[in-house]
Amino acid sequence: MNYMDEALKEAYEGINNNHGGPFGSVIVKDGKIVGRGHNQVLSKHDPTCHGEMEAIRDACKNLKSHDLSGCELYTTAEPCPMCLGGILWANIRKVFYGCRISDTDKIGFRDDKFYKNFESKGGECTTEEFEREKCLTLFDDYTKLNAQRY
């Protein structure tokens, strides 16, 4: 089975139904597809519903785990910073992508701006420390709970 073909099927399902951009993904573990997703930003009115994020959600649900160690992700385009963060949090260590960030830029998506924003810590969104002591208290309270870490 060609997993990129499956990611492409997901992407076509999305664009043919006006769910969002041409981004589809599948997650594979031990030679079996365990998660599928395509961009649903428009259909769900949610900017976090990128193909990779939807596939991660699906795989986690199917595997009944937040840990996708041992999985690989196939996606039609190089992951944006948000999706890359999700991929890393899910412990996926191998990603195969089709189009580059420069390709997504050419069709009207702005992934490159997000990467530049993080590199410069400026740009369209700035970050600033605020009320750190109160937030450190929250962290201390959490530590005292000895809650499960992920």
Side-chain angles (χ1 to χ4, degrees), residues 49-131:
C49 290
H50 290 194
E52 296 93 336
M53 300 299 282
E54 293 293 290
I56 289 169
R57 290 177 182 120
D58 189 46
C60 288
K61 181 183 77 173
N62 293 333
L63 295 175
K64 295 178 178 34
S65 176
H66 61 279
D67 185 354
L68 300 181
S69 294
C71 292
E72 297 175 335
L73 188 142
Y74 292 77
T75 186
T76 56
E78 191 170 354
C80 74
M82 176 186 68
C83 292
L84 185 56
I87 290 163
L88 292 171
W89 277 111
N91 295 314
I92 297 170
R93 297 293 178 241
K94 185 69 176 181
V95 175
F96 298 93
Y97 64 87
C99 295
R100 298 175 180 162
I101 292 168
S102 58
D103 299 319
T104 60
D105 183 57
K106 289 176 186 171
I107 62 168
F109 290 87
R110 55 193 175 125
D111 296 28
D112 190 48
K113 285 185 178 183
F114 289 97
Y115 277 104
K116 287 179 181 172
N117 188 83
F118 290 121
E119 288 170 6
S120 66
K121 290 199 174 211
E124 291 183 22
C125 177
T126 60
T127 61
E128 180 180 336
E129 186 178 293
F130 182 73
E131 300 281 3

Side-chain angles (χ1 to χ4, degrees), residues 3 28-34 70-71:
Y3 301 122
V28 177
K29 185 169 187 171
D30 300 325
K32 180 182 175 198
I33 294 176
V34 296
C71 292

